Amino acid sequence: MSNPNFITVMAVDNLPCELPRSASEEFGRDLIDKILRPLLAEDIGGIIERGTIAEKGSLTNTFSYLQDYIN
């Protein structure tokens, strides 16, 4: 049911309930090393820009192909 007061999320849950410790630690390290600086300081490589799906209520150009799902 569509309701303008809610956000629709499409997701696929195919991950195990618990990730191995090493995978979790590596993910955390990559998050700190590769994402935190561009997120909080300057996004020189465009990582945050390329990963942003929507901004100010509209899809970014990279993800405009999703507009059919929104309509």
Side-chain angles (χ1 to χ4, degrees):
M1 184 166 100
S2 180
N3 185 323
N5 296 319
F6 296 101
I7 296 174
T8 301
V9 176
M10 296 185 303
V12 176
D13 183 13
N14 61 355
L15 295 175
C17 294
E18 184 175 336
L19 294 174
R21 177 179 288 184
S22 62
S24 182
E25 289 171 354
E26 288 177 31
F27 175 80
R29 177 58 33 210
D30 281 347
L31 186 65
I32 290 169
D33 292 345
K34 298 178 181 177
I35 304 300
L36 197 57
R37 185 180 310 237
L39 187 62
L40 299 177
E42 190 175 359
D43 187 15
I44 295 171
I47 293 170
I48 304 303
E49 181 181 348
R50 288 193 315 271
T52 301
I53 297 173
E55 186 174 27
K56 298 179 183 174
S58 298
L59 291 170
T60 59
N61 288 337
T62 304
F63 294 94
S64 62
Y65 70 92
L66 296 171
Q67 190 63 47
D68 289 340
Y69 292 107
I70 293 171
N71 295 340

